[in-house]
Amino acid sequence: MSCSVHDLVRLERRGVPTAGVGTLPFADEALEQARVLGMPELRLVLVAHPVQLLDSEQLDALADTSFVRIVEHLVA
């Protein structure tokens, strides 16, 4: 998630609304990195880990749920 956080911060600084997606075990590191980069309010959508063990149906359901939260972050 490290590169993603850097990308999100760069985009936000250019006025592009963002919402990052990552898994829960990496949340603390992502939020700390955002804080260090001067953007502690960075919006993240966190999902259960690991996602690679999900079957197609479970992954689709997770994506549907995450999509709603991502849109909420982008329009807030």
Side-chain angles (χ1 to χ4, degrees), residues 1 5 22-34 44 46:
M1 239 182 127
V5 171
T23 57
L24 287 167
F26 301 102
D28 289 342
E29 290 84 358
L31 292 170
E32 177 61 13
Q33 188 170 43
L44 298 175
L46 300 168

Side-chain angles (χ1 to χ4, degrees), residues 8 11-12 15-21 41-45 66-76:
L8 294 168
L11 288 167
E12 285 284 345
V16 178
T18 65
V21 179
E41 70 282 359
L42 190 68
R43 295 173 299 268
L44 298 175
V45 174
S66 299
F67 180 76
V68 170
R69 295 187 341 223
I70 292 166
V71 171
E72 288 171 353
H73 282 315
L74 294 175
V75 299

